[in-house]
Amino acid sequence: MSNLEQEVNPLRPSTRDERGFFQANLRSQNLSADQDKARKNETACPETKQSKKKNKLENDCLNLKRTLLMRSSPKMVILKSAEDLCGKGFPTRCPKVPSTSCDPKFLTTGSFAGLILTCSLGAIIIIIASITFIWTPFEILMNERLRMVRGLPAYEWWLNPPDEVLLRVYLFNITNSEQFLNGTEKKLKLEEIGPYIFREKLTHSNVQFFENGTMTYRSHRTAIFLPEMNHLSLNATVIVPNLAVLGMSSYLWDSSFLTKIAFNLLLNRLDSQPIVASTVNNYFWNFTDPLVKVAKTLAPHLVPVENMGILQQIYHKFSDDVTVYYGPGNGRRFFTIDKFNGQSRLGYWQNETCDTIQGSTEGVTYHQRVKRDDVLKYLRKTICRVTPLHYTRDVQKLGMKAFQFDLPADVYAQPNDGVTEQCFNRPGSPNLPSGVIDASPCNYDFPVGVSFPHFMNADKAVYQKLEGLNASPAKHSSFVIVEPTTGIPMESRARSQSNVIMRSVSGIPRVKRFSDMFIPMFWAEYNQVGLPWYISALMYSTVIILPASQFYISISFFLLGLSITSLALVRIFKLSRSNSKTLCSYSSLDLLPPTPSTASEC
């Protein structure tokens, strides 16, 4: 080797001995490298025996593939026995058919039961949708309301009605009491003061249902003063008629001469005056006079109560047992009264037509499908009679069409045709002029007359000795606005005035100037101001939305049920065919072993 070659490749041995030494050294280095590699493989693949076993199984699988390819189609191998695919003849690494596909009994498992349930569900939806074409959802809801089922909205809202009724009370302050009593002025001058606003709370309890289509309950009403809505004080002083003196004087108008003398002596001794000053609160709730206490001691049957407060008289016993009709069979009689306090009549008037309560309601609700020619009858306990309401016009309320029914202008009039019987006059008492009716039977026989506020629509003889009255139909008429489909009142105003009926009391000097007068005590307005939003929303959905959309809802449910049933039946049919064949097909390529894993590479 030349010097140049040695310089170019200094690692190349120059002699044979040197080359032998170099080759031996190289073999020794290769052997060490192989040993190091083996140790690394043992460290990386501790399960060498298992890997070898897997490689052997893969080779068996390849041999099986070659055998099959030689004995059958080069593209497809069809095995007619599911067991050959599912574990007996194939090694672990060979592909397997899923057990659910190869099990001949798969249709008896949970999947089949689920399909049957799905199919049944679809059939039920179809049946329900078909029924709604005959009995619409609207009709079903209306009938359910008539049933008054406990727990449903119709029953629960009736049981505890929303606090939407306001009571407004107006008083008449006498401004010329001295001048009228001493005779310098012939007319009594009145000044209206109010309103004093209360909330009337109505509750129902002791509900009982009977098989004859009636239900009985106890209704109870109370009046709650609302300070936040009042700008007038209950402690203000007003000049008002002394109800004890004037009422007892009028009650004794036809008594014997000796009785009148005794009564005059009692008045003079107690110095009881026909007109007195009182606070508003006392006039409402705690009005009395020494004359009442003495008279109750002498003749308790003539003076049943000592407290003559005008609201106290109304609300101290405002609880009644009422029996009404209910149920789908009583659609036109829904919530009309069958009995009131156990009686089919009021018991105030001799004439049965005047005294009946049949067909009337308490005004909480009316029958469904109200018509324009219907006469709604409203029982007003405080005036001892049932009052009719007649249709006057259509109105729009809360986006719904409603009917307005008004109290007729002649409701307090006296018949003058000579044929119609006088209904609301006490036997033996002079007939009252038109515009006032006798309400004494439901006020302990106290001479109370009821009229429209400010004597609207009354004869002039009623108010000819009074000044300061100003009747107005807009302010003093009564009406109710009813949604005709459901019969639910949407707004109402019931207005009436209570008056002291003064008969001829010329035999009692202290009160003789009040003879043949009608002295206003107060007038009141019961105002249902509206409905809570949740009742209004349900009414709107029932009356407006549901009738317009129920056909499309029924169609949608019918198609939904049909789709569910069809899909379930198709699936059952396909699975049934697969079960009858129980064949499993595989491509011959599927028999190839998988790509060598990391373990095989080890």
Side-chain angles (χ1 to χ4, degrees):
M1 182 179 297
S2 64
N3 294 332
L4 180 60
E5 290 176 344
Q6 290 181 355
E7 290 177 0
V8 173
N9 189 4
L11 297 178
R12 182 177 179 179
S14 57
T15 63
R16 179 179 298 176
D17 294 334
E18 290 176 346
R19 285 197 299 270
F21 175 78
F22 181 81
Q23 292 175 354
N25 188 25
L26 182 60
R27 285 195 298 269
S28 176
Q29 291 178 359
N30 291 337
L31 180 61
S32 299
D34 292 338
Q35 292 175 351
D36 292 339
K37 185 176 181 180
R39 283 194 297 269
K40 291 180 180 179
N41 288 338
E42 290 177 358
T43 304
C45 304
E47 299 179 357
T48 306
K49 293 182 179 181
Q50 294 182 2
S51 300
K52 291 180 179 180
K53 185 177 181 179
K54 290 181 179 180
N55 291 335
K56 183 178 182 302
L57 293 175
E58 291 172 358
N59 292 333
D60 293 340
C61 191
L62 284 173
N63 293 332
L64 177 61
K65 170 184 176 295
R66 294 189 188 99
T67 302
L68 292 173
L69 288 175
M70 292 173 63
R71 296 183 180 180
S72 61
S73 170
K75 294 184 178 181
M76 182 69 67
V77 177
I78 299 178
L79 303 180
K80 295 185 179 180
S81 174
E83 294 181 353
D84 291 341
L85 280 176
C86 296
K88 287 189 175 182
F90 276 73
T92 306
R93 295 300 299 271
C94 290
K96 295 183 179 181
V97 178
S99 60
T100 56
S101 300
C102 296
D103 186 2
K105 300 180 180 180
F106 74 95
L107 283 179
T108 62
T109 61
S111 61
F112 179 72
L115 289 173
I116 293 297
L117 289 176
T118 303
C119 186
S120 301
L121 175 62
I124 292 173
I125 294 176
I126 291 175
I127 293 173
I128 294 175
S130 301
I131 291 175
T132 59
F133 285 109
I134 303 173
W135 295 284
T136 63
F138 172 77
E139 295 292 338
I140 294 173
L141 284 179
M142 296 292 284
N143 284 333
E144 286 304 314
R145 176 174 178 261
L146 295 176
R147 296 180 191 279
M148 295 297 289
V149 179
R150 297 179 189 269
L152 294 183
Y155 176 84
E156 296 300 328
W157 293 342
W158 166 83
L159 187 65
N160 295 294
D163 298 330
E164 300 296 332
V165 177
L166 297 179
L167 168 62
R168 295 181 175 90
V169 182
Y170 298 81
L171 302 179
F172 292 97
N173 183 53
I174 300 174
T175 60
N176 66 334
S177 58
E178 294 183 4
Q179 295 86 340
F180 182 79
L181 290 175
N182 61 29
T184 58
E185 294 185 4
K186 295 184 178 181
K187 290 187 177 182
L188 199 62
K189 294 182 179 179
L190 306 175
E191 175 191 15
E192 181 183 279
I193 298 177
Y196 294 91
I197 304 175
F198 300 79
R199 185 180 303 283
E200 186 180 74
K201 179 64 177 178
L202 171 63
T203 58
H204 298 113
S205 59
N206 300 338
V207 183
Q208 296 179 352
F209 295 90
F210 301 100
E211 294 182 356
N212 63 350
T214 63
M215 58 182 287
T216 298
Y217 59 88
R218 171 161 292 183
S219 65
H220 180 70
R221 287 175 169 85
T222 55
I224 304 170
F225 185 70
L226 302 176
E228 67 278 7
M229 298 186 67
N230 285 272
H231 63 277
L232 299 174
S233 173
L234 291 177
N235 296 320
T237 300
V238 291
I239 308 300
V240 292
N242 189 333
L243 305 180
V245 172
L246 294 176
M248 294 179 69
S249 300
S250 182
Y251 182 82
L252 299 173
W253 73 278
D254 60 346
S255 298
S256 65
F257 178 74
L258 293 177
T259 302
K260 291 181 180 179
I261 290 178
F263 185 71
N264 281 322
L265 292 175
L266 188 60
L267 285 178
N268 293 331
R269 173 136 185 207
L270 298 174
D271 195 26
S272 294
Q273 300 297 324
I275 298 177
V276 295
S278 173
T279 64
V280 174
N281 188 69
N282 285 342
Y283 193 54
F284 282 156
W285 301 106
N286 192 29
F287 187 81
T288 188
D289 188 90
L291 176 64
V292 177
K293 297 180 180 179
V294 174
K296 186 172 179 61
T297 303
L298 298 176
H301 63 284
L302 297 178
V303 186
V305 293
E306 293 185 17
N307 188 346
M308 303 187 71
I310 56 176
L311 294 184
Q312 174 68 18
Q313 290 299 308
I314 296 174
Y315 286 101
H316 83 289
K317 288 181 64 177
F318 215 148
S319 295
D320 301 288
D321 294 325
V322 186
T323 301
V324 298
Y325 294 97
Y326 82 102
N330 293 310
R332 292 288 295 176
R333 296 194 300 175
F334 181 63
F335 256 78
T336 58
I337 297 175
D338 177 47
K339 292 182 180 180
F340 190 75
N341 289 323
Q343 303 296 324
S344 58
R345 294 178 54 176
L346 290 172
Y348 297 144
W349 314 103
Q350 292 182 350
N351 187 304
E352 183 177 355
T353 303
C354 306
D355 199 52
T356 186
I357 58 174
Q358 296 294 320
S360 64
T361 74
E362 286 193 296
V364 177
T365 186
Y366 297 95
H367 62 268
Q368 296 180 354
R369 294 177 174 84
V370 176
K371 301 177 182 178
R372 292 179 178 86
D373 57 354
D374 285 340
V375 177
L376 305 183
K377 297 180 180 180
Y378 172 40
L379 174 60
R380 300 182 66 182
K381 176 184 175 180
T382 54
I383 66 173
C384 317
R385 64 172 292 187
V386 173
T387 56
L389 296 164
H390 296 278
Y391 168 83
T392 54
R393 62 189 180 116
D394 287 9
V395 297
Q396 285 290 324
K397 195 77 174 176
L398 303 176
M400 294 173 277
K401 182 179 72 174
F403 296 161
Q404 178 171 321
F405 289 78
D406 290 357
L407 194 66
D410 61 351
V411 68
Y412 300 121
Q414 298 293 339
N416 54 9
D417 55 9
V419 178
T420 306
E421 185 178 359
Q422 295 280 353
C423 260
F424 306 107
N425 283 316
R426 300 296 299 276
S429 299
N431 290 340
L432 299 176
S434 186
V436 181
I437 63 170
D438 192 351
S440 58
C442 52
N443 289 280
Y444 305 106
D445 286 335
F446 189 82
V448 174
V450 178
S451 67
F452 279 113
H454 289 243
F455 293 116
M456 184 178 69
N457 302 323
D459 289 347
K460 290 184 179 180
V462 174
Y463 53 86
Q464 63 182 356
K465 294 183 179 181
L466 302 173
E467 285 187 6
L469 300 178
N470 185 20
S472 169
K475 295 180 180 179
H476 302 139
S477 60
S478 298
F479 66 89
V480 60
I481 297 176
V482 180
E483 196 290 307
T485 303
T486 60
I488 296 177
M490 305 177 74
E491 181 184 353
S492 65
R493 294 180 187 271
R495 297 158 171 156
S496 63
Q497 179 174 298
S498 294
N499 315 278
V500 180
I501 300 174
M502 295 301 298
R503 306 291 185 178
S504 178
V505 289
S506 57
I508 306 174
R510 185 165 291 208
V511 297
K512 66 179 181 179
R513 292 190 57 80
F514 296 92
S515 291
D516 300 319
M517 288 184 65
F518 298 89
I519 305 172
M521 294 186 292
F522 70 98
W523 74 271
E525 174 190 84
Y526 291 91
N527 176 208
Q528 178 191 334
V529 296
L531 293 171
W533 68 267
Y534 49 89
I535 297 181
S536 301
L538 182 59
M539 283 179 59
Y540 189 86
S541 300
T542 303
V543 175
I544 302 298
I545 297 178
L546 188 57
S549 60
Q550 61 186 3
F551 175 78
Y552 302 101
I553 294 174
S554 299
I555 287 291
S556 300
F557 272 92
F558 184 85
L559 294 177
L560 175 63
L562 187 62
S563 300
I564 293 175
T565 304
S566 300
L567 292 175
L569 290 175
V570 169
R571 182 61 178 162
I572 291 174
F573 177 73
K574 288 183 177 180
L575 292 179
S576 299
R577 292 190 61 186
S578 299
N579 182 58
S580 63
K581 292 181 179 180
T582 63
L583 295 179
C584 300
S585 62
Y586 268 79
S587 169
S588 59
L589 298 178
D590 293 335
L591 297 175
L592 290 173
T595 304
S597 61
T598 306
S600 63
E601 292 176 356
C602 295

